Every structure is written in structure tokens, then in C-alpha cells.
Amino acid sequence: MAKTMHYSELGLVNTKEMFKKAMDGGYAIPAYNFNNMEQLQGIIIGCVETKSPVILQVSGSARKYANQRFLPYMAMGAVQMAQALGGNIPIALHLDHGDSFDLAKSCIDSGFSSVMLDGSHHAFEENAKLTKQVVEYAHERDVTVEGELGVLAGVEDEVSSEVSHFTKPEEVEEFVEKTGVDSLAISIGTSHGAYKFKVKPGEEVPPLRFDILEEIEKRIPGFPIVLHGASTIVPEYVAMINAFGGKMEEAVGIPEEQLRRAAGSAVCKINIDSDGRLAMTAVIRKIFSENPSEFDPRKYLGPARDELIRMVKHKNETVLGSANRSSKFGMRNTE
Ligand SMILES: [Zn+2]
């Protein structure tokens, strides 16, 4: 039986103050997924260099991959590294798409400061019941909880759906009230994975349903909203992967200007996973292709990490608006 650890022992914070400031300031907190050291360091360095608060997130399978006993110490290392780099940025560790009370509890007990309970594949009542159960356990420990209403299309780790079901605005008020969640992920046309939308040349990506978002904002004013599946699927990375022996189908993601618009609304958290994967894979492919004799992992993982840093800085500065927002944070939650 592993020792129970509270996130404050790791130097982490929950998402409460982050979301309040993001709501007031008209920007969104970046939530970057990671599985390994180079990704984690790339995210942290990019966020320290842009003075951005950050949510580090892992899916259940990423937690398994990195090892659940090891993972909290990676987050602790990230906090220490950020401080050593002179960036006292607020850092949360979040479970992405938790599918059961047991998983959420296990994460909370091991040092996560925030968890998602994704019961969106269940009927409303069952989703609300499951979410509320996690909220009760989490809030006793000052851990924040994200719920979800509506289903995104696409594939991401353990979540997949062929079609999207937009969130029904008429359900959000009751869900938030019944469950006590701290934030709500909604489905307004974003999509999981690298193959979000296929469009023919000259065609536009289907725009996000800002009408649904506005209707939701009206019903739960000032409540933090989360967008999943919000990678842009940076075309340069896909082109680079294909130019150096990869085989990725052409696909497009969510245009940056739509994400910027969302970040200015009640959307307080924007999830980015695929773009980080593409950035590292593109660089690694290029290096292997140009230097077939290279076998030192630092020689390809290092430049891959550098590219991730560039990507994170770009997102924080020009897409989410989270750059230069890390000051004036109480590093401990004070509620
Ligand atoms: Zn997601």
C-alpha cells in the first residue's frame, strides 16, 4: 500500500485560483499532456520562460506508462525545476479523463491536485452520480474536479467516439448544481487526436459552435469551461513527419483564432496533447533521417524537447494568452 500524499507536499496547487484569474483576465490556462521526462521538462521550461501558469495532465494510461508511484515525483521535480529556473509559476497535476471513482481516488491519494471524472458516455443521472461521488472525496482534500457533458469525436488514449454529441445547454445548470464540480468540459466541435477533420483543398474546418458556448455561459455565468481536443495539428509538423519517412494522413485541427476567441470567453482551460506529440515526433524523424548513425538518446530527445519548448511558448503567448500571468499567485491555496 503506497503512502498517501497530499499535493501541497509536492509544491502543487489546485485549479481554483488559476481559473478565477483566467476568467477575470480573459485568457485560458494551458493543460499539456505528458508521459515522459522530456515532455514534462519541455512544458515546464516553455511555461517558465513565458511566465504562464500550467496544468500538467496525464490520462490513466499515461499514468500507467510513467508508473503511478514514479509520477508524483516527476511533478515534484517539475516544481523544483521551475523554481530553480526562477519561475515561481503555479503548477497543477491533473488526471485527464478519469473513468472511475477508484482511479480518481488513487490519483488524489498519490498527490494529484485536480482530477477529471469523465462520465460523459453515461446517461445524465449516472454521470452526475459518479461525478458527485468524486467531488465529495476530492473536496475534502481541497482537490478540484472537472466534469464533462457532451461527447467529443476522435480518439485519445482511452477515449474514443466516432461522432460528437454537442453539449446540451439546458443540462449544464442542473449538472453543475447536482455534482458540485469546479469546471465543466463541453463539446462544441473540438475533437480528440491527430485526425480531427478532413477537409478538401479550399474547404474550411467546421467552426466551433460558439452559439452553444454562449448559451452555456448565460446559464452558468462565470463558471469555468474546459475545451478538450484543442490542438491545431500544426501543418508544419505533419509535413515534416511525412517528409522524413512518416506516414500521416493529412488532417487539420482547431484554427488558432478560434481558440483565441474561446480563451477570451468562459473557457478557462484548453487541452493540448496531439500538437506536443507531433512536435517531438517531427524532430526525431528528421534527426534519424539525416543522421542514421545517431544512437545517443540525448541527441534526438534533446532537440525534440527544444521544439516542444518553442511550441509551448507560442501557444501561451499567441493562442491562450496565459503568458505573463503567473505573478500575484498565492503559491498555496488559501481557501
Ligand atoms: Zn480529452
Side-chain angles (χ1 to χ4, degrees), residues 6 10 18 22 26 62 99 109 112 122 138 172-173 199 224 245 261 265 280 296 303 309 324:
H6 190 255
L10 301 172
M18 288 184 183
D99 59 358
D109 290 346
F112 282 59
H122 294 295
V172 296
E173 229 173 316
V199 291
R261 182 174 162 195
S265 72
M280 296 190 84
D296 179 347
I309 294 170
N324 298 308

Side-chain angles (χ1 to χ4, degrees), residues 12 20-21 23 36 47 52 56 61 73 118 286 313:
L12 300 165
K20 194 186 174 310
K21 287 189 156 68
M23 182 71 74
N36 69 16
C47 288
S52 169
L56 301 170
S61 64
Y73 296 99
D118 177 4
K286 182 169 189 284
K313 288 170 76 168

Side-chain angles (χ1 to χ4, degrees), residues 96-97 156 192 228-229 271:
D96 195 18
H97 291 289
E156 181 200 39
H192 283 132
H228 281 242
N271 291 2

Side-chain angles (χ1 to χ4, degrees), residues 33-35 56-60 62-63 71 93-96 112:
N33 290 69
F34 76 96
N35 318 286
L56 301 170
Q57 64 182 17
V58 285
S59 62
R63 183 173 179 246
L71 190 85
L93 178 63
H94 175 79
L95 168 66
D96 195 18
F112 282 59

Side-chain angles (χ1 to χ4, degrees), residues 14-171:
N14 69 23
T15 59
K16 198 160 277 182
E17 192 182 354
M18 288 184 183
F19 288 167
K20 194 186 174 310
K21 287 189 156 68
M23 182 71 74
D24 295 345
Y27 60 95
I29 308 289
Y32 296 111
N33 290 69
F34 76 96
N35 318 286
N36 69 16
M37 185 187 81
E38 282 79 8
Q39 283 176 311
L40 179 57
Q41 291 181 340
I43 295 162
I44 287 297
I45 295 168
C47 288
V48 165
E49 290 186 359
T50 51
K51 299 188 174 65
S52 169
V54 63
I55 297 170
L56 301 170
Q57 64 182 17
V58 285
S59 62
S61 64
R63 183 173 179 246
K64 243 180 234 154
Y65 175 84
N67 185 290
Q68 66 178 63
R69 292 291 293 275
F70 186 62
L71 190 85
Y73 296 99
M74 291 178 79
M76 191 185 204
V79 170
Q80 295 290 320
M81 183 184 177
Q83 287 171 1
L85 292 170
N88 213 15
I89 58 170
I91 301 171
L93 178 63
H94 175 79
L95 168 66
D96 195 18
H97 291 289
D99 59 358
S100 69
F101 174 80
D102 289 344
L103 175 59
K105 179 183 180 297
S106 166
C107 286
I108 292 167
D109 290 346
S110 73
F112 282 59
S113 62
S114 179
V115 291
M116 175 188 195
L117 191 286
D118 177 4
S120 61
H121 49 288
H122 294 295
F124 181 92
E125 289 300 331
E126 181 64 18
N127 183 2
K129 200 176 118 198
L130 250 171
T131 307
K132 185 179 189 316
Q133 193 191 4
V134 170
V135 168
E136 280 171 359
Y137 189 81
H139 282 186
E140 279 169 25
R141 290 149 185 88
D142 205 18
V143 168
T144 39
V145 180
E146 175 183 324
E148 176 161 340
L149 274 178
V151 179
L152 271 66
V155 186
E156 181 200 39
D157 285 5
E158 45 276 279
V159 199
S160 81
S161 174
E162 283 191 10
V163 288
S164 80
H165 300 278
F166 294 131
T167 305
K168 298 184 186 122
E170 62 273 21
E171 287 184 349

